[in-house]
Amino acid sequence: EEFFQKHNVSFYPSKANFLLIKPKHPEETLRILQEQGILVRPRRDVPGTLRVSVGTLKDTERFMTAYFKILKI
């Protein structure tokens, strides 16, 4: 959550092993994250959001690294 707040990314707080984010460009973000091997899928019931699975610290770090690259684009 701190990562998203720091980078002004819309998200929904969660206590589960996934994050629900609302990126500015969801389709492009989905494609890039999937290419990086991040477990992510669109949430059709919440338009414009992506569900990102993060189970371990390593998973979280991989996601944060990949997403930080997207933010720089």
Side-chain angles (χ1 to χ4, degrees):
E1 293 179 0
E2 291 175 33
F3 175 80
F4 294 124
Q5 291 169 342
K6 181 179 177 180
H7 297 288
N8 296 319
V9 176
S10 297
F11 70 98
Y12 297 83
S14 173
K15 302 248 186 253
N17 66 339
F18 67 87
L19 304 168
L20 189 61
I21 62 173
K22 189 168 186 170
K24 291 181 183 178
H25 307 285
E27 285 85 23
E28 184 177 0
T29 301
L30 175 67
R31 179 185 55 77
I32 293 170
L33 291 175
Q34 287 177 333
E35 287 173 356
Q36 297 293 317
I38 307 297
L39 296 174
V40 59
R41 64 181 179 161
R43 284 286 303 263
R44 305 285 183 220
D45 57 327
V46 187
T49 62
L50 301 174
R51 182 186 188 276
V52 182
S53 297
V54 286
T56 66
L57 179 58
K58 185 177 179 180
D59 293 337
T60 304
E61 289 171 347
R62 284 182 58 227
F63 165 72
M64 289 174 61
T65 298
Y67 200 75
F68 189 69
K69 289 177 185 175
I70 291 170
L71 291 174
K72 288 184 171 183
I73 295 175

